[in-house]
Amino acid sequence: MPQDPMDFEWSYWIEWGREHILWLLAGHLLVSQVSRLFVEKYKPWCLMVYGMAACWLLLGIKGFAVILLHAAISFAVAQFQLSLLTWLCSLILLSTLRIPAVEETKRKWYDTENEYYLLLFTVSVRCLFCTSFSLEYCWHAPTQKSSHSFPWMLAYVFYYPTFHNGPLVNFDEFSKQMRRQEPFSVKTNLSILIVGIIRIFFWWCLAELMIHLMYIHALYSSALPLESASYWALGGLALAQVLFFYVKYLVLYGVPALLLQMDGLKPPPLPCCVSLMHGFMKMWRLISVKSLTALLICRFTYRYIYVPMGGSQSSLLGTLFSTALTFAFVSYWHGGQSYLWYWGALNWLGVIVENGTKRILSISLIQDLI
């Protein structure tokens, strides 16, 4: 039975995975385990060299140079130790991805559109990693700068399991865990690998079953069936779509999470099932790393935007402003198209309405009436 071809993200990453990325991840796993077994002290540098080689192989020397240039510029700006300047630099670098002349030049580097998109997706995610490193550099004391050197930035930026599509691991977490030398057991790691592969294979089979039988995205691409459907049917389609999104990211983030675990690092938690969520705020709770939609950059936005701007510890207006900035950045990072700004605004309003209602219901007089 033919599959639903309308989910670009799933088809794109599965195709790249089968042809190149899974093999390169297997190579990373081999390098990681050998370095942990024999040269634990030099593991970050072994993995950095491998990540650079993998980047060069897939994106070519020009794609590799773009990512290296972004890292070098971010590191140079971080030397001023001004968070605002670091953010300005990050936003400018991110904006270069949307300049038509630059886009056209990069397209000419590759034979296919898919290769160009791989560079685009990779550089977008690398921008987050460069920003994380630069802000941590700004916030740390001069005595701690040795742990924030340019080689460590490269080891972080070119860490291959999270290279193309995330998930994001903040630099401080990555650095501390990568420096930590733990006892290495081949037997333990082998059991973790086997169990992880079985789980990911099950999720992949479930996602393939859904995309071959349910045709959720094909239905959404045609107005006629949506106009004739009842509200209950539309609600069922919406639930089916977010459930497929959940299963899809169990696979797409499950693979790098398994490799992080094999490398002795603690991976970000995988998304929790949307069927277990009954509140709008739980989907976008900035404190929680288990939020499905924000899984890639939730930890990033919470640490580097929401908290520095005051977050829930500031006044009501300050909290609203912090949340608005967070959604604005998420919308801009995803592409900045008009529909993404509408999406961000509606999510922001949803959080405000639910939070406001909870605050009203917490008033003792209202509770007595209830």
Side-chain angles (χ1 to χ4, degrees), residues 37-329:
L37 193 59
F38 297 109
V39 284
E40 176 78 16
K41 184 178 179 180
Y42 301 102
K43 181 183 71 174
W45 318 122
C46 294
L47 297 181
M48 178 190 74
V49 171
Y50 181 84
M52 287 179 161
C55 172
W56 194 316
L57 179 66
L58 272 193
L59 299 177
I61 186 171
K62 292 179 180 177
F64 171 79
V66 167
I67 294 171
L68 193 61
L69 180 63
H70 276 229
I73 292 172
S74 298
F75 184 78
V77 172
Q79 304 308 301
F80 292 98
Q81 295 184 282
L82 297 172
S83 298
L84 185 60
L85 190 61
T86 291
W87 267 115
L88 183 62
C89 172
S90 300
L91 292 173
I92 290 172
L93 289 175
L94 197 58
S95 68
T96 61
L97 303 179
R98 289 98 192 235
I99 299 173
V102 176
E103 286 183 332
E104 196 58 36
T105 300
K106 290 177 181 176
R107 275 190 168 91
K108 292 176 182 177
W109 297 348
Y110 302 105
D111 297 327
T112 65
E113 196 78 355
N114 275 358
E115 290 175 292
Y116 163 72
Y117 281 132
L118 185 65
L119 173 66
L120 183 65
F121 297 149
T122 304
V123 175
S124 297
V125 176
R126 293 307 93 200
C127 280
L128 297 179
F129 279 68
C130 289
T131 305
S132 174
F133 175 90
S134 299
L135 289 172
E136 296 292 350
Y137 186 95
C138 293
W139 295 345
H140 281 73
T143 54
Q144 299 172 295
K145 289 293 185 277
S146 59
S147 61
H148 292 69
S149 61
F150 189 61
W152 267 107
M153 183 183 195
L154 294 181
Y156 175 58
V157 169
F158 285 97
Y159 181 67
Y160 195 69
T162 61
F163 190 67
H164 297 294
N165 195 35
L168 181 78
V169 180
N170 292 338
F171 175 74
D172 261 23
E173 297 173 10
F174 174 85
S175 175
K176 289 173 185 175
Q177 294 175 31
M178 191 63 81
R179 291 171 189 273
R180 187 176 60 228
Q181 297 185 15
E182 296 181 337
F184 178 73
S185 169
V186 176
K187 185 178 179 181
T188 302
N189 262 24
L190 187 61
S191 63
I192 291 172
L193 180 64
I194 292 171
V195 172
I197 288 174
I198 291 171
R199 292 176 67 189
I200 292 167
F201 180 72
F202 170 76
W203 296 331
W204 174 77
C205 289
L206 181 58
E208 284 291 319
L209 193 65
M210 293 173 77
I211 209 165
H212 277 83
L213 297 179
M214 298 178 71
Y215 292 90
I216 311 158
H217 301 88
L219 286 170
Y220 271 110
S221 65
S222 176
L224 187 60
L226 296 179
E227 289 172 353
S228 59
S230 65
Y231 290 132
W232 282 103
L234 290 173
L237 282 171
L239 179 60
Q241 188 179 44
V242 294
L243 285 174
F244 176 75
F245 187 83
Y246 158 68
V247 175
K248 173 171 66 177
Y249 271 89
L250 285 179
V251 178
L252 296 182
Y253 284 171
V255 174
L258 176 59
L259 289 174
L260 280 161
Q261 204 172 354
M262 296 293 292
D263 290 345
L265 308 180
K266 184 181 179 182
L270 292 175
C272 59
C273 182
V274 291
S275 296
L276 301 177
M277 297 181 184
H278 61 274
F280 189 85
M281 286 184 65
K282 193 173 180 181
M283 281 295 294
W284 265 112
R285 184 170 296 159
L286 298 176
I287 296 176
S288 171
V289 298
K290 294 187 178 181
S291 173
L292 173 62
T293 312
L295 183 64
L296 173 62
I297 54 176
C298 180
R299 293 153 70 93
F300 179 91
T301 52
Y302 176 71
R303 179 167 176 79
Y304 301 119
I305 300 177
Y306 187 69
V307 171
M309 294 306 299
S312 58
Q313 303 304 313
S314 61
S315 63
L316 177 61
L317 285 177
T319 303
L320 294 178
F321 181 67
S322 303
T323 312
L325 271 185
T326 300
F327 283 116
F329 177 77

